[in-house]
Amino acid sequence: MNVGVFLALQPYCTVEDNLKLAKAAGFDAADITDTHAGGSMFGSADLAATVSLDGNPFDTKRLFEKYGIKISTICAHAALLDPSSPARFATDEIMKAIKFAAAIGIRDVITTEFDAHTDWAKKLSFEQSIFIIAEKLYEPCRMASDYGVKICLEPHGPYTDTVEGLKGIMDALGNIDSIGVNLDTGNSWLGGSDPVELAKVFKDKIYHIHWKDLGEEFVAKRGKEFGCGFSTIELGTGLIDIKGVIEVLRDSPLIHNSTLEIAGTPELLRASAAYVKKYWDA
């Protein structure tokens, strides 16, 4: 299994700048971390490491290959709980990400629901929320099946952070092979779940992993916040049972890539990658 990095190692710079940093830190795999439809003002000004889903996928592939870095996944995190709007990243963008990924041989497209931003979405019941999320994913799942791509739901919101929520979404979509899980160890724990339990329950549906560990300062936020972006500590030094997750998943034939969601020095990143590999290859 590859252990790569989230390609947001330095703010206000380009994808290529971040690829240089990843290579210098000793990594040969990374996510396409930030994506957008159409054009991006910051991207055009070389102030954001973002990839346009309307661009030429092969240009992005050649850029990664220039630095000897494999593209592990493409991220298409969406606002799946809120009402559909051209201003919200959702179904259209996920479908573009699927075609982008398929064109250059990327298997996994990661998405999530986030927490609700509108008053309307905040009032939805569990059943209504599952329906809203599944409705936005129905056509992307059909397309992913045809293209041979996996849509990976990442724990990053009130429903994907739970066993019940993930099961509800998958059941609503008919449990087809194109819908699975990107297990985020930090987000799931912060949302109030046990990452080891999620690993056990969804072992046959986990296609990718985001690694992060969290410290004591997050205890008071547990069960109240959904997703924390990055951690700043070395894997194995915090409160999350990273080793337990590895013990459950290391024999899975479905997991080809994983990503460190850690902000810090190259030494911190390398130590965390070594921690994963030590137990994954044991």
Side-chain angles (χ1 to χ4, degrees), residues 136-264:
K136 289 188 177 74
L137 290 174
Y138 177 76
E139 291 296 345
C141 283
R142 291 182 63 242
M143 177 179 281
S145 293
D146 288 332
Y147 275 100
V149 168
K150 304 293 189 186
I151 297 175
C152 303
L153 293 171
E154 176 178 337
H156 212 310
Y159 300 99
T160 52
D161 268 349
T162 69
V163 169
E164 295 76 17
L166 284 170
K167 280 187 173 180
I169 296 166
M170 291 183 184
D171 287 346
L173 292 167
N175 287 298
I176 58 177
D177 288 342
S178 61
I179 187 79
V181 176
N182 169 62
L183 179 60
D184 187 302
T185 57
N187 289 353
S188 56
W189 181 90
L190 183 62
S193 292
D194 176 3
V196 177
E197 180 191 10
L198 287 178
K200 290 176 180 177
V201 172
F202 296 105
K203 181 173 181 177
D204 293 337
K205 296 289 283 184
I206 294 172
Y207 301 133
H208 190 273
I209 305 168
H210 278 171
W211 301 109
K212 52 181 176 271
D213 208 344
L214 299 174
E216 293 286 348
E217 69 273 22
F218 285 94
V219 171
K221 301 176 182 180
R222 194 175 185 204
K224 302 173 185 176
E225 294 189 7
F226 308 106
C228 57
F230 298 93
S231 65
T232 58
I233 61 174
E234 182 180 330
L235 291 180
T237 64
L239 301 175
I240 299 173
D241 187 4
I242 303 295
K243 185 179 176 183
V245 171
I246 294 172
E247 288 174 348
V248 174
L249 297 178
R250 66 185 177 191
D251 63 345
S252 171
L254 304 172
I255 302 171
H256 303 158
N257 298 292
S258 66
T259 304
L260 300 175
E261 281 197 336
I262 299 172

Side-chain angles (χ1 to χ4, degrees), residues 243 246-247 250 276-282:
K243 185 179 176 183
I246 294 172
E247 288 174 348
R250 66 185 177 191
V276 173
K277 292 176 181 177
K278 174 183 177 182
Y279 293 107
W280 194 275
D281 299 330

Side-chain angles (χ1 to χ4, degrees), residues 17-51:
D17 291 332
N18 275 273
L19 286 169
K20 291 176 182 176
L21 292 170
K23 189 66 175 179
F27 288 87
D28 58 10
D31 287 353
I32 296 176
T33 298
D34 186 25
T35 59
H36 62 278
S40 161
M41 185 181 73
F42 264 38
S44 298
D46 292 339
L47 292 174
T50 185
V51 171

